[in-house]
Amino acid sequence: MILNNVASAYKVKKENRFKIAAYEQAASVIDHLSSEIRDLWEEGKLDQVPGIGPSIASHLEELFTKGESAHFNKVFSGLPESMFVFLSIPGVGPKKAYMLAKELNIDRKSTALAKLKKAGENKQIRQIEGFGEGSEKEILKRLGEYKRKEKRMSLFEACNQAEKLRNYLKSCEKAVKVEVLGSLRRRCVSVGDIDIVAATNEAQAVIHYFTSYPKKRKIINAGPSKASILLTNNFQADLRVIDPKSWGSMLQYFTGSKQHNISLREYALKKGMSLSEYGIKKVKSQKLKIKNYSKEKDLYNALGMEWIPPELREDTGEIDAAIKKELPKLVKLKEIKGDLHMHSNFNTETGGDLGINSVKEMCEKALKFGYQYIAFTEHNPSMSKHSEQQITGLIMKKKKYIEHIKSSSKKLSNLHIFNSLEVNILPDGQLAISDKALHTLDFAIASIHSSFLMPKEAMTARILKGLDHPKVKILGHPTNRMIGSRKGIEADWEKIFDFCAKNKKILEVNANPKRLDLPDNLIKKALTKGVKLAINSDAHAADSMNFMKFGVWNARRGWAEAKDIINTMNYDKINEILCPAAPDTE
DNA sequence: GCCGTTTTCGGCCCGACTGTTTTCAGTCG
């Protein structure tokens, strides 16, 4: 982001440090924004973005209108453009990047890294003030492994990696407690590195144990209270060790997010308290004695607020809510009473994917979870190859088959099973099966599986038309994003949310960790409009029914409570929602 | 340059580690 470069340029030019912080803050906020900053500008909402004031807003305005900003150009003047390339090297910040560019006479960014490498090999870097033989070698090494830092793990992979590391550390007898923190504890959809903390009275021993982890590629650094290693999958793991009496403070600090911590510390300062990972100091007191907190809850309480669930710690209003004691009672996994989107291997002669497990196997898994109800929602039969009669025939065949499975096993008798389908919404908004076929279902999930790149207005109209059918109750994986690989469709979500609220249509929170769709920020917006959600696994195998927890985490990040989620309700209630009795006809 | 439940002026989070210094600046989270 250009604002980060402005901040870096200001650092070289020794600008006021608070001004620099303001630019960094603005860049960070934009990075974590739910929408593109350019879209907000187009909608005239720049001034609503926290951290963007009149000055930065006007520069961005100029940037978006003319393609460049005179002010930014002035800030960058006199600085070699190669320095902004060097910033991507770990351990190289603005000052060092500038020194490298200037002293080595490297200006163009296209050849910057190659030239830097050559200079290092000619032992020129060590001659620059502030550098030495050690840092020269380090830079050369980093250049060898140079790649963009932006790579992130899926939450699913991060959970697995972290669990292994956690178990390893737990086997260290000097470690009293071990916990995984950072973005993983906040259940972010993707995770950049694994943060882990250990409580111990023998820090050195635990650090040594950590840096001896067999699945590491190398040790990045190791000091008396923290260490970092590079795992074999090329992701970083950071460890902090802490005295058990400060466990709660460390939990708070290392869970973040950064913005949450900064806001929390600023709030603490206003109340005369200085907050760190060790505890709270009274600012005015001469002694500067630290009060430790072994429990995270006690720390938040000492600041005059409720304990804040990790999923909410993104500095999006949770601190205010905690002070007013108005935090939502977030939905819990154990409150989920059923799964309304599952694919069995019953052959619906579809163009989409079949599941790999049988109806019976998936029913048995549902019983293990204690579900009261489930819905089988295989993809609709392909229309090109079937007549309407054949399609309704298939639906009735599946219905009978489910009844047969149910009646053949006593333990299944209390499990309610909806006969449903996941029906494609075609580009023109038509549903992929006929009105008559739809009426043979208990209800339908409607989803988009093609033509993702339609313009916003047409896409919105397409979705609204698809949702309009009385049998369609749920919009499946609404944005169609695939985390890390597909951005998702463009649509007027406000309009869709209004429609759903008015017509009692349910939005899915698809729990597949590659989807997590609706995204958390849209969940939060939908809830303010009174839209109800369903958290579904979209399992194509019995094992994948375990994905439910990812969906619950994602809903929690969107501030969802049990009352917002229809599949926390009992069967009678949900049956009323999904299969309302037909209105009396005169 | 931003911001406001003590402020429209006067504040602005806090600490660890590294390398190059010979007491600290730069970088990172």
Side-chain angles (χ1 to χ4, degrees):
Chain A
M1 177 66 199
I2 191 167
L3 297 186
N4 271 323
N5 282 352
V6 173
S8 296
Y10 272 149
K11 274 186 189 163
V12 174
K13 296 190 167 178
K14 295 194 166 57
E15 182 53 86
N16 173 300
R17 69 187 171 100
F18 298 110
K19 193 168 174 177
I20 296 170
Y23 271 91
E24 285 176 335
Q25 157 88 0
S28 165
V29 168
I30 289 172
D31 255 357
H32 293 94
L33 227 44
S34 49
S35 8
E36 295 290 320
I37 186 71
R38 184 181 265 275
D39 291 345
L40 289 178
W41 164 70
E42 275 173 10
E43 292 161 26
K45 291 180 179 167
L46 269 191
D47 57 349
Q48 292 174 22
V49 182
I52 296 188
S55 175
I56 293 181
S58 76
H59 301 323
L60 287 178
E61 165 97 35
E62 192 187 343
L63 182 70
F64 292 143
T65 322
K66 298 187 190 166
E68 60 177 357
S69 141
H71 178 257
F72 292 165
N73 288 345
K74 197 177 151 204
V75 177
F76 293 140
S77 70
L79 300 179
E81 59 178 27
S82 65
M83 86 165 246
F84 299 104
V85 179
F86 297 154
L87 284 175
S88 58
I89 305 169
V92 175
K95 300 261 171 86
K96 287 190 176 175
Y98 173 69
M99 286 301 280
L100 286 171
K102 192 181 97 177
E103 296 299 319
L104 298 171
N105 272 319
I106 303 175
D107 195 29
R108 298 170 57 83
K109 58 179 173 188
S110 52
T111 54
L113 290 173
K115 283 191 174 172
L116 182 65
K117 185 157 178 261
K118 202 159 199 183
E121 285 160 357
N122 292 335
K123 302 192 195 321
Q124 288 173 283
I125 294 179
R126 65 181 69 179
Q127 292 161 21
I128 305 170
E129 189 190 338
F131 292 81
E133 202 181 326
S135 47
E136 181 179 84
K137 281 186 178 158
E138 184 61 24
I139 287 173
L140 281 175
K141 219 166 102 191
R142 296 287 191 169
L143 281 176
E145 64 201 25
Y146 175 82
K147 58 173 108 65
R148 302 202 61 78
K149 287 179 183 174
E150 292 150 17
K151 226 179 89 186
R152 295 175 73 82
M153 274 176 278
S154 74
L155 182 56
F156 182 76
E157 189 193 348
C159 282
N160 290 337
Q161 293 283 340
E163 196 51 29
K164 286 179 199 157
L165 182 56
R166 181 164 175 263
N167 287 336
Y168 170 76
L169 274 175
K170 278 191 148 180
S171 68
C172 174
E173 56 183 24
K174 307 289 187 201
V176 184
K177 271 190 276 193
V178 179
E179 209 49 74
V180 177
L181 307 176
S183 51
L184 214 160
R185 185 172 180 230
R186 300 200 310 279
R187 311 304 189 191
C188 296
V189 296
S190 67
V191 173
D193 57 16
I194 291 170
D195 296 320
I196 197 159
V197 62
T200 180
N201 292 307
E202 293 184 56
Q204 216 38 259
V206 175
I207 296 263
H208 181 257
Y209 196 84
F210 172 72
T211 54
S212 308
Y213 185 49
K215 291 192 182 71
K216 70 155 193 301
R217 195 174 292 279
K218 65 168 187 177
I219 299 169
I220 294 168
N221 54 42
S225 67
K226 71 179 196 181
S228 298
I229 57 175
L230 195 66
L231 300 171
T232 47
N233 68 349
N234 273 325
F235 282 98
Q236 187 172 327
D238 299 329
L239 171 78
R240 290 293 304 251
V241 292
I242 190 74
D243 191 304
K245 68 176 194 270
S246 290
W247 176 252
S249 304
M250 181 56 88
L251 242 52
Q252 193 288 312
Y253 158 75
F254 214 20
T255 298
S257 64
K258 185 173 177 174
Q259 286 308 322
H260 172 83
N261 282 0
I262 289 177
S263 290
L264 197 67
R265 288 172 176 196
E266 279 174 352
Y267 178 75
L269 263 189
K270 279 185 208 155
K271 304 188 93 183
M273 296 183 272
S274 172
L275 178 63
S276 77
E277 58 262 53
Y278 299 103
I280 295 178
K281 283 189 282 203
K282 290 260 191 292
V283 174
K284 292 278 159 61
S285 145
Q286 302 291 340
K287 291 182 201 158
L288 287 179
K289 192 171 180 307
I290 287 195
K291 180 152 173 38
N292 303 117
Y293 295 88
S294 63
K295 294 195 180 114
E296 202 180 36
K297 182 172 182 293
D298 294 341
L299 175 64
Y300 277 102
N301 291 164
L303 294 170
M305 62 184 76
E306 292 181 289
W307 176 82
I308 301 176
E311 293 94 333
L312 301 186
R313 300 184 196 171
E314 299 289 349
D315 198 25
T316 52
E318 73 279 7
I319 293 176
D320 264 0
I323 294 166
K324 293 178 187 148
K325 304 204 189 310
E326 286 173 359
L327 283 173
K329 289 192 172 48
L330 299 182
V331 58
K332 298 188 182 80
L333 180 60
K334 65 178 183 196
E335 291 173 314
I336 298 294
K337 295 196 172 72
D339 193 339
L340 299 171
H341 187 169
M342 297 172 18
H343 298 256
S344 77
N345 66 2
F346 183 91
N347 192 353
T348 50
E349 299 175 25
T350 170
D353 294 334
L354 283 181
I356 64 169
N357 287 108
S358 68
V359 164
K360 189 169 180 220
E361 287 163 332
M362 297 186 91
C363 285
E364 281 168 357
K365 187 85 175 183
L367 286 182
K368 266 190 197 152
F369 289 138
Y371 288 164
Q372 296 179 11
Y373 48 83
I374 53 176
F376 284 104
T377 55
E378 291 76 17
H379 292 287
N380 60 265
S382 71
M383 334 161 272
S384 53
K385 294 175 187 152
H386 298 88
S387 67
E388 178 180 73
Q389 204 173 6
Q390 286 171 319
I391 291 176
T392 51
L394 275 166
I395 293 172
M396 293 319 288
K397 189 176 155 197
K398 191 181 98 174
K399 186 174 175 154
K400 279 192 183 141
Y401 178 68
I402 289 172
E403 279 164 6
H404 162 70
I405 294 294
K406 235 183 99 119
S407 62
S408 67
S409 166
K410 209 166 192 182
K411 55 184 180 180
L412 293 183
S413 58
N414 286 330
L415 183 68
H416 298 278
I417 303 175
F418 293 102
N419 185 29
S420 177
L421 283 179
E422 184 179 14
V423 179
N424 289 340
I425 306 177
L426 306 176
D428 64 0
Q430 298 276 0
L431 296 166
I433 59 175
S434 71
D435 184 60
K436 194 178 164 198
L438 281 163
H439 277 287
T440 60
L441 297 170
D442 291 333
F443 73 92
I445 296 182
S447 306
I448 286 175
H449 288 111
S450 65
S451 304
F452 302 117
L453 297 175
M454 287 168 57
K456 190 169 175 175
E457 232 170 82
M459 185 62 92
T460 307
R462 173 187 183 183
I463 291 172
L464 294 185
K465 188 168 175 195
L467 281 179
D468 200 38
H469 193 281
K471 277 287 173 179
V472 171
K473 297 297 178 190
I474 302 177
L475 178 63
H477 43 74
T479 75
N480 275 277
R481 73 162 172 184
M482 293 298 247
I483 290 161
S485 62
R486 188 167 74 202
K487 198 171 158 269
I489 59 168
E490 297 277 334
D492 184 341
W493 292 108
E494 218 153 292
K495 208 165 169 184
I496 292 171
F497 295 160
D498 285 336
F499 180 89
C500 290
K502 190 174 161 210
N503 297 287
K504 297 203 162 45
K505 304 293 180 179
I506 314 297
L507 290 172
E508 179 173 74
V509 177
N510 190 294
N512 185 313
K514 287 184 187 144
R515 291 190 182 268
L516 296 174
D517 183 13
L518 279 184
D520 50 16
N521 55 298
L522 286 179
I523 291 174
K524 200 173 174 185
K525 260 187 215 158
L527 293 181
T528 62
K529 300 237 176 205
V531 180
K532 299 290 182 199
L533 310 170
I535 308 176
N536 297 327
S537 71
D538 194 2
H540 285 63
D543 260 357
S544 310
M545 290 166 68
N546 285 309
F547 287 159
M548 186 61 81
K549 69 176 177 193
F550 290 94
V552 171
W553 290 341
N554 197 49
R556 288 168 64 87
R557 286 183 57 79
W559 294 51
E561 306 189 1
K563 67 172 172 55
D564 303 314
I565 312 292
I566 63 163
N567 51 326
T568 61
M569 298 171 185
N570 289 323
Y571 171 73
D572 289 346
K573 197 80 185 279
I574 203 159
N575 191 42
E576 241 176 76
I577 295 173
L578 296 175
C579 317
D584 292 336
T585 43
E586 295 285 319

